[in-house]
Amino acid sequence: MLWIMRFSGLFSAALVIIVLSPSLQSFPPAEAIRSSHLDAYLRFPTSDSPPHRLSFRKAPMFRNAADCAAADIDSGVCNPSLVHVAITLDFEYLRGSIAAVHSILKHSSCPESVFFHFLVSETDLETLVRSSFPELKFKVYYFDPEIVRTLISTSVRQALEQPLNYARNYLADLLEPCVRRVIYLDSDLIVVDDIAKLWRTRLGSKTIGAPQYCHANFTKYFTPAFWSDERFSGAFRGRKPCYFNTGVMVMDLERWRSVGYTEEIEKWMEIQKNDRIYELGSLPPFLLVFAGEVAPIEHRWNQHGLGGDNVRGSCRDLHPGPVSLLHWSGSGKPWFRLDSRRPCPLDTLWAPYDLYGHSR
Protein backbone atom coordinates (compact mmCIF):
# COMPACT_ATOMS: atom_id res chain seq x y z
CA MET A 1 0.00 0.00 0.00
CA LEU A 2 1.42 3.36 -1.05
CA TRP A 3 0.27 6.28 1.09
CA ILE A 4 0.99 9.91 0.30
CA MET A 5 -0.15 12.70 2.57
CA ARG A 6 -0.54 16.27 1.42
CA PHE A 7 2.36 18.54 2.27
CA SER A 8 3.71 21.81 0.92
CA GLY A 9 7.02 23.10 -0.35
CA LEU A 10 10.11 21.22 -1.38
CA PHE A 11 9.93 18.90 1.62
CA SER A 12 6.69 17.51 0.24
CA ALA A 13 8.20 16.79 -3.16
CA ALA A 14 11.24 15.11 -1.65
CA LEU A 15 9.13 12.90 0.58
CA VAL A 16 6.84 11.84 -2.26
CA ILE A 17 9.84 10.98 -4.44
CA ILE A 18 11.17 8.71 -1.70
CA VAL A 19 7.81 6.95 -1.48
CA LEU A 20 7.29 6.35 -5.19
CA SER A 21 10.52 6.58 -7.17
CA PRO A 22 11.48 3.21 -8.68
CA SER A 23 15.13 4.17 -8.33
CA LEU A 24 14.78 4.34 -4.55
CA GLN A 25 12.35 1.53 -3.84
CA SER A 26 12.53 -2.17 -4.61
CA PHE A 27 9.67 -4.05 -6.26
CA PRO A 28 10.58 -7.77 -6.05
CA PRO A 29 7.65 -9.17 -8.12
CA ALA A 30 8.63 -7.19 -11.21
CA GLU A 31 12.40 -7.27 -10.79
CA ALA A 32 14.36 -6.27 -13.88
CA ILE A 33 16.86 -9.03 -14.68
CA ARG A 34 18.91 -7.14 -17.22
CA SER A 35 19.12 -3.70 -18.79
CA SER A 36 20.45 -2.34 -22.03
CA HIS A 37 21.14 1.15 -23.31
CA LEU A 38 20.66 0.23 -26.97
CA ASP A 39 18.70 3.08 -28.53
CA ALA A 40 15.63 2.75 -30.71
CA TYR A 41 15.30 5.54 -33.24
CA LEU A 42 12.26 6.97 -34.92
CA ARG A 43 11.97 9.74 -37.48
CA PHE A 44 9.30 12.36 -36.84
CA PRO A 45 8.40 14.25 -40.03
CA THR A 46 7.10 17.81 -39.73
CA SER A 47 5.56 20.05 -42.32
CA ASP A 48 7.81 23.06 -41.69
CA SER A 49 11.20 21.54 -40.93
CA PRO A 50 13.45 18.66 -41.98
CA PRO A 51 12.94 15.31 -40.28
CA HIS A 52 14.70 14.87 -36.95
CA ARG A 53 15.34 11.95 -34.69
CA LEU A 54 14.04 11.13 -31.26
CA SER A 55 15.83 8.40 -29.38
CA PHE A 56 14.21 6.07 -26.85
CA ARG A 57 16.22 3.69 -24.71
CA LYS A 58 15.52 0.02 -24.46
CA ALA A 59 13.58 -0.80 -21.28
CA PRO A 60 14.74 -3.42 -18.78
CA MET A 61 13.27 -6.90 -19.06
CA PHE A 62 10.55 -7.66 -16.52
CA ARG A 63 9.67 -11.23 -15.55
CA ASN A 64 6.63 -12.83 -13.91
CA ALA A 65 6.73 -13.76 -10.25
CA ALA A 66 6.70 -17.46 -9.38
CA ASP A 67 2.97 -17.53 -8.57
CA CYS A 68 1.87 -16.03 -11.92
CA ALA A 69 0.01 -18.11 -14.47
CA ALA A 70 2.33 -19.54 -17.11
CA ALA A 71 3.01 -16.93 -19.78
CA ASP A 72 2.58 -18.77 -23.08
CA ILE A 73 4.26 -16.60 -25.69
CA ASP A 74 2.28 -18.24 -28.52
CA SER A 75 -1.14 -18.15 -26.87
CA GLY A 76 -2.19 -14.91 -28.55
CA VAL A 77 -4.60 -12.20 -27.54
CA CYS A 78 -7.38 -14.63 -26.56
CA ASN A 79 -5.47 -16.16 -23.63
CA PRO A 80 -7.93 -15.88 -20.70
CA SER A 81 -5.11 -15.28 -18.19
CA LEU A 82 -4.06 -11.98 -19.80
CA VAL A 83 -4.64 -8.49 -18.42
CA HIS A 84 -5.68 -6.26 -21.33
CA VAL A 85 -4.62 -2.60 -21.41
CA ALA A 86 -5.51 -0.14 -24.21
CA ILE A 87 -3.49 3.05 -24.80
CA THR A 88 -3.38 5.47 -27.71
CA LEU A 89 -0.07 5.99 -29.47
CA ASP A 90 0.73 9.13 -31.44
CA PHE A 91 3.74 11.36 -32.13
CA GLU A 92 2.77 14.19 -29.78
CA TYR A 93 2.16 12.00 -26.73
CA LEU A 94 4.53 9.17 -27.63
CA ARG A 95 6.92 9.96 -24.79
CA GLY A 96 4.07 9.77 -22.31
CA SER A 97 2.76 6.48 -23.72
CA ILE A 98 6.19 4.84 -23.48
CA ALA A 99 6.55 6.02 -19.88
CA ALA A 100 3.08 4.69 -19.03
CA VAL A 101 3.92 1.23 -20.40
CA HIS A 102 7.24 1.26 -18.54
CA SER A 103 5.51 2.11 -15.25
CA ILE A 104 2.94 -0.66 -15.68
CA LEU A 105 5.61 -3.28 -16.30
CA LYS A 106 7.78 -2.00 -13.45
CA HIS A 107 5.07 -2.38 -10.84
CA SER A 108 3.28 -5.46 -12.15
CA SER A 109 3.72 -8.77 -10.35
CA CYS A 110 3.00 -10.56 -13.66
CA PRO A 111 4.33 -8.20 -16.37
CA GLU A 112 4.55 -10.96 -18.97
CA SER A 113 0.81 -11.47 -18.59
CA VAL A 114 -0.12 -7.92 -19.59
CA PHE A 115 -1.26 -7.48 -23.20
CA PHE A 116 -1.20 -3.97 -24.63
CA HIS A 117 -3.60 -2.78 -27.33
CA PHE A 118 -2.16 0.34 -29.00
CA LEU A 119 -4.57 2.55 -30.91
CA VAL A 120 -2.89 4.58 -33.66
CA SER A 121 -3.77 6.89 -36.52
CA GLU A 122 -0.18 7.12 -37.78
CA THR A 123 2.20 4.51 -39.17
CA ASP A 124 5.66 3.26 -38.17
CA LEU A 125 5.05 3.32 -34.43
CA GLU A 126 5.06 -0.46 -34.01
CA THR A 127 8.81 -0.65 -34.70
CA LEU A 128 9.50 1.88 -31.98
CA VAL A 129 7.46 -0.01 -29.40
CA ARG A 130 9.18 -3.28 -30.26
CA SER A 131 12.59 -1.66 -30.02
CA SER A 132 11.93 -0.25 -26.55
CA PHE A 133 10.07 -3.36 -25.30
CA PRO A 134 11.39 -6.38 -27.26
CA GLU A 135 9.31 -8.99 -25.42
CA LEU A 136 6.16 -6.96 -24.88
CA LYS A 137 2.84 -8.61 -25.72
CA PHE A 138 1.01 -6.08 -27.86
CA LYS A 139 -0.95 -5.41 -31.02
CA VAL A 140 -1.41 -2.19 -32.96
CA TYR A 141 -4.88 -1.19 -34.17
CA TYR A 142 -5.38 1.50 -36.78
CA PHE A 143 -8.12 3.99 -35.96
CA ASP A 144 -9.29 5.90 -39.03
CA PRO A 145 -9.66 9.60 -38.11
CA GLU A 146 -12.37 9.98 -40.74
CA ILE A 147 -14.73 7.91 -38.58
CA VAL A 148 -15.15 10.82 -36.18
CA ARG A 149 -13.83 13.87 -38.02
CA THR A 150 -17.29 15.10 -39.01
CA LEU A 151 -18.62 14.43 -35.50
CA ILE A 152 -16.00 16.43 -33.60
CA SER A 153 -16.88 19.96 -32.52
CA THR A 154 -14.55 22.70 -31.28
CA SER A 155 -13.40 22.49 -27.67
CA VAL A 156 -11.82 24.69 -25.01
CA ARG A 157 -8.40 23.26 -25.98
CA GLN A 158 -7.34 22.23 -29.47
CA ALA A 159 -5.64 19.06 -28.20
CA LEU A 160 -9.07 17.79 -27.11
CA GLU A 161 -10.27 17.92 -30.71
CA GLN A 162 -7.83 15.30 -32.02
CA PRO A 163 -9.66 12.30 -33.54
CA LEU A 164 -7.53 9.77 -31.62
CA ASN A 165 -9.07 11.07 -28.36
CA TYR A 166 -12.29 9.42 -29.53
CA ALA A 167 -10.77 6.01 -30.28
CA ARG A 168 -11.82 4.77 -26.82
CA ASN A 169 -15.42 4.99 -28.04
CA TYR A 170 -14.65 2.25 -30.58
CA LEU A 171 -12.65 -0.23 -28.50
CA ALA A 172 -15.45 -2.78 -28.62
CA ASP A 173 -15.27 -2.70 -32.43
CA LEU A 174 -11.49 -2.50 -32.79
CA LEU A 175 -10.46 -5.24 -30.37
CA GLU A 176 -11.02 -8.95 -30.98
CA PRO A 177 -14.40 -10.35 -29.83
CA CYS A 178 -12.55 -12.67 -27.41
CA VAL A 179 -11.34 -9.59 -25.49
CA ARG A 180 -14.24 -9.20 -23.10
CA ARG A 181 -12.70 -6.65 -20.74
CA VAL A 182 -10.05 -3.96 -21.10
CA ILE A 183 -8.45 -1.25 -18.99
CA TYR A 184 -8.32 2.00 -20.94
CA LEU A 185 -5.55 4.42 -19.93
CA ASP A 186 -4.59 7.88 -21.17
CA SER A 187 -1.02 8.53 -22.32
CA ASP A 188 -0.18 11.16 -19.68
CA LEU A 189 -0.06 8.97 -16.59
CA ILE A 190 2.06 6.49 -14.68
CA VAL A 191 0.92 3.46 -12.70
CA VAL A 192 2.70 2.90 -9.37
CA ASP A 193 0.81 -0.20 -8.24
CA ASP A 194 0.08 -3.64 -9.63
CA ILE A 195 -2.24 -3.23 -12.63
CA ALA A 196 -3.79 -6.61 -11.83
CA LYS A 197 -5.54 -5.01 -8.84
CA LEU A 198 -7.36 -2.62 -11.15
CA TRP A 199 -8.10 -5.46 -13.57
CA ARG A 200 -9.94 -7.37 -10.83
CA THR A 201 -12.46 -4.53 -10.33
CA ARG A 202 -15.99 -5.88 -9.91
CA LEU A 203 -18.30 -4.12 -12.33
CA GLY A 204 -21.48 -5.95 -11.32
CA SER A 205 -24.23 -4.94 -13.75
CA LYS A 206 -22.31 -1.85 -14.97
CA THR A 207 -20.48 -1.54 -18.27
CA ILE A 208 -17.64 0.66 -17.07
CA GLY A 209 -15.86 1.31 -13.79
CA ALA A 210 -13.97 4.47 -12.85
CA PRO A 211 -13.17 6.67 -9.84
CA GLN A 212 -16.11 9.05 -9.40
CA TYR A 213 -16.12 12.55 -7.93
CA CYS A 214 -19.63 13.32 -6.77
CA HIS A 215 -18.58 16.53 -5.00
CA ALA A 216 -17.60 18.12 -8.33
CA ASN A 217 -19.93 20.67 -9.90
CA PHE A 218 -21.49 18.43 -12.53
CA THR A 219 -23.48 21.22 -14.17
CA LYS A 220 -20.33 22.94 -15.49
CA TYR A 221 -19.68 20.14 -18.00
CA PHE A 222 -22.70 21.23 -20.06
CA THR A 223 -23.91 24.53 -21.44
CA PRO A 224 -26.92 26.52 -20.17
CA ALA A 225 -28.65 25.52 -23.41
CA PHE A 226 -28.34 21.88 -22.35
CA TRP A 227 -29.80 22.37 -18.88
CA SER A 228 -32.63 24.58 -20.10
CA ASP A 229 -33.85 22.04 -22.66
CA GLU A 230 -35.65 19.01 -21.27
CA ARG A 231 -34.89 17.06 -24.45
CA PHE A 232 -31.24 17.07 -23.38
CA SER A 233 -31.15 17.40 -19.58
CA GLY A 234 -33.81 14.72 -19.33
CA ALA A 235 -31.10 12.19 -20.16
CA PHE A 236 -30.17 12.23 -16.47
CA ARG A 237 -33.71 11.68 -15.21
CA GLY A 238 -33.74 8.83 -12.69
CA ARG A 239 -29.95 8.90 -12.34
CA LYS A 240 -27.60 10.50 -9.81
CA PRO A 241 -24.81 11.54 -12.17
CA CYS A 242 -21.27 12.14 -10.91
CA TYR A 243 -18.21 13.35 -12.74
CA PHE A 244 -15.64 10.74 -13.71
CA ASN A 245 -12.46 11.05 -15.75
CA THR A 246 -12.42 8.90 -18.90
CA GLY A 247 -8.62 8.59 -18.83
CA VAL A 248 -8.83 5.59 -16.50
CA MET A 249 -11.64 3.11 -17.07
CA VAL A 250 -12.28 -0.60 -16.72
CA MET A 251 -14.62 -1.53 -19.57
CA ASP A 252 -16.85 -4.57 -20.08
CA LEU A 253 -16.60 -4.84 -23.85
CA GLU A 254 -18.97 -7.77 -24.05
CA ARG A 255 -21.78 -5.77 -22.46
CA TRP A 256 -20.81 -2.67 -24.47
CA ARG A 257 -21.21 -4.62 -27.71
CA SER A 258 -24.55 -6.11 -26.72
CA VAL A 259 -26.08 -2.72 -25.85
CA GLY A 260 -24.46 -0.72 -28.65
CA TYR A 261 -22.99 2.11 -26.60
CA THR A 262 -20.83 3.38 -29.47
CA GLU A 263 -23.96 4.40 -31.34
CA GLU A 264 -25.35 6.14 -28.25
CA ILE A 265 -22.18 8.21 -27.89
CA GLU A 266 -22.25 9.10 -31.58
CA LYS A 267 -25.86 10.24 -31.24
CA TRP A 268 -24.87 12.83 -28.62
CA MET A 269 -21.93 13.98 -30.73
CA GLU A 270 -24.33 14.60 -33.61
CA ILE A 271 -26.64 16.60 -31.33
CA GLN A 272 -23.64 18.64 -30.16
CA LYS A 273 -22.84 19.70 -33.72
CA ASN A 274 -26.24 21.40 -34.01
CA ASP A 275 -27.09 22.51 -30.47
CA ARG A 276 -23.76 23.11 -28.68
CA ILE A 277 -24.64 21.36 -25.44
CA TYR A 278 -21.05 21.07 -24.07
CA GLU A 279 -17.54 22.54 -24.45
CA LEU A 280 -15.08 19.87 -23.33
CA GLY A 281 -14.12 17.42 -26.07
CA SER A 282 -14.71 13.68 -25.74
CA LEU A 283 -15.71 13.63 -22.04
CA PRO A 284 -19.34 14.92 -22.09
CA PRO A 285 -20.72 12.19 -24.40
CA PHE A 286 -19.39 9.60 -21.95
CA LEU A 287 -21.02 11.46 -19.07
CA LEU A 288 -24.32 11.59 -20.95
CA VAL A 289 -24.34 7.86 -21.55
CA PHE A 290 -22.79 6.53 -18.33
CA ALA A 291 -22.84 9.11 -15.48
CA GLY A 292 -24.83 7.61 -12.61
CA GLU A 293 -24.29 4.12 -14.03
CA VAL A 294 -20.57 3.67 -13.24
CA ALA A 295 -19.09 1.01 -10.99
CA PRO A 296 -17.06 2.89 -8.35
CA ILE A 297 -13.29 2.46 -8.21
CA GLU A 298 -11.07 3.83 -5.45
CA HIS A 299 -9.76 7.35 -6.06
CA ARG A 300 -6.21 6.05 -5.67
CA TRP A 301 -6.52 4.74 -9.23
CA ASN A 302 -6.80 8.21 -10.77
CA GLN A 303 -4.98 11.01 -9.01
CA HIS A 304 -5.89 13.26 -11.91
CA GLY A 305 -5.51 16.95 -12.66
CA LEU A 306 -1.72 17.04 -12.21
CA GLY A 307 -1.43 18.85 -15.56
CA GLY A 308 -3.35 21.81 -14.17
CA ASP A 309 -6.32 23.39 -15.90
CA ASN A 310 -7.03 23.36 -19.63
CA VAL A 311 -5.56 26.85 -20.18
CA ARG A 312 -2.57 27.59 -17.94
CA GLY A 313 -1.45 24.11 -16.93
CA SER A 314 -0.55 25.32 -13.45
CA CYS A 315 1.02 23.09 -10.79
CA ARG A 316 -1.29 20.98 -8.67
CA ASP A 317 -0.81 18.96 -5.51
CA LEU A 318 -1.98 15.40 -4.87
CA HIS A 319 -5.35 14.68 -3.35
CA PRO A 320 -5.15 13.27 0.18
CA GLY A 321 -4.90 9.50 0.49
CA PRO A 322 -3.13 6.55 -1.13
CA VAL A 323 -1.85 6.66 -4.70
CA SER A 324 -1.83 3.88 -7.31
CA LEU A 325 -1.91 6.03 -10.46
CA LEU A 326 -0.80 9.61 -11.16
CA HIS A 327 -2.49 11.37 -14.07
CA TRP A 328 -1.32 14.63 -15.67
CA SER A 329 -4.71 15.49 -17.15
CA GLY A 330 -4.94 19.16 -18.09
CA SER A 331 -2.74 21.18 -20.42
CA GLY A 332 0.60 20.80 -18.59
CA LYS A 333 2.54 17.62 -19.42
CA PRO A 334 5.55 16.53 -17.33
CA TRP A 335 7.89 15.93 -20.27
CA PHE A 336 7.36 19.44 -21.65
CA ARG A 337 7.81 21.07 -18.27
CA LEU A 338 10.90 19.00 -17.43
CA ASP A 339 12.52 19.86 -20.77
CA SER A 340 11.80 23.54 -20.26
CA ARG A 341 13.46 23.30 -16.81
CA ARG A 342 10.30 24.65 -15.21
CA PRO A 343 8.83 21.47 -13.75
CA CYS A 344 6.17 21.22 -11.12
CA PRO A 345 7.28 19.30 -7.99
CA LEU A 346 5.24 16.21 -8.90
CA ASP A 347 6.69 16.04 -12.42
CA THR A 348 9.80 14.49 -10.87
CA LEU A 349 7.71 11.41 -10.09
CA TRP A 350 7.16 10.86 -13.80
CA ALA A 351 10.82 11.28 -14.79
CA PRO A 352 12.16 7.84 -13.66
CA TYR A 353 9.86 6.11 -16.17
CA ASP A 354 10.91 8.32 -19.08
CA LEU A 355 12.85 6.36 -21.70
CA TYR A 356 13.51 9.30 -23.98
CA GLY A 357 17.21 9.12 -24.83
CA HIS A 358 18.07 12.79 -24.37
CA SER A 359 15.90 13.49 -21.34
CA ARG A 360 18.76 13.33 -18.85
Side-chain angles (χ1 to χ4, degrees), residues 217-293:
N217 180 9
F218 190 81
T219 60
K220 71 178 183 180
Y221 295 102
F222 301 93
T223 63
F226 172 88
W227 293 112
S228 63
D229 193 325
E230 178 65 19
R231 293 177 302 159
F232 306 141
S233 59
F236 294 120
R237 190 183 300 111
R239 290 194 267 166
K240 295 181 178 179
C242 295
Y243 164 75
F244 64 94
N245 180 281
T246 53
V248 179
M249 296 185 292
V250 179
M251 307 172 68
D252 184 334
L253 298 183
E254 191 172 35
R255 184 176 288 114
W256 184 295
R257 294 175 182 121
S258 66
V259 176
Y261 283 119
T262 297
E263 290 74 18
E264 289 194 29
I265 290 174
E266 287 180 332
K267 179 194 73 174
W268 284 111
M269 293 176 69
E270 290 170 354
I271 291 173
Q272 160 73 356
K273 294 291 289 187
N274 296 320
D275 294 279
R276 198 67 185 175
I277 57 175
Y278 56 80
E279 304 286 352
L280 196 62
S282 61
L283 169 64
F286 256 88
L287 296 179
L288 283 161
V289 174
F290 293 111
E293 297 292 339

Side-chain angles (χ1 to χ4, degrees), residues 138-204:
F138 75 91
K139 183 175 179 179
V140 173
Y141 303 78
Y142 179 74
F143 176 71
D144 185 356
E146 297 306 317
I147 293 175
V148 293
R149 200 178 298 280
T150 60
L151 292 173
I152 297 174
S153 56
T154 56
S155 181
V156 295
R157 183 159 56 94
Q158 189 174 7
L160 300 177
E161 300 171 21
Q162 298 305 311
L164 199 58
N165 288 338
Y166 296 83
R168 74 193 83 183
N169 303 357
Y170 298 87
L171 279 168
D173 301 320
L174 292 168
L175 273 54
E176 289 78 359
C178 65
V179 180
R180 299 181 176 183
R181 168 184 285 223
V182 70
I183 298 171
Y184 175 82
L185 298 177
D186 273 352
S187 300
D188 53 356
L189 55 76
I190 56 173
V191 177
V192 293
D193 203 345
D194 192 343
I195 196 72
K197 297 177 183 177
L198 183 59
W199 176 254
R200 291 193 291 266
T201 296
R202 295 182 178 180
L203 298 181

Side-chain angles (χ1 to χ4, degrees), residues 62-65 71 82 105 108 110-115 135 137:
F62 298 99
R63 301 300 186 193
N64 280 0
L82 293 174
L105 297 175
S108 175
C110 302
E112 296 174 283
S113 300
V114 182
F115 194 103
E135 298 188 15
K137 289 184 171 68

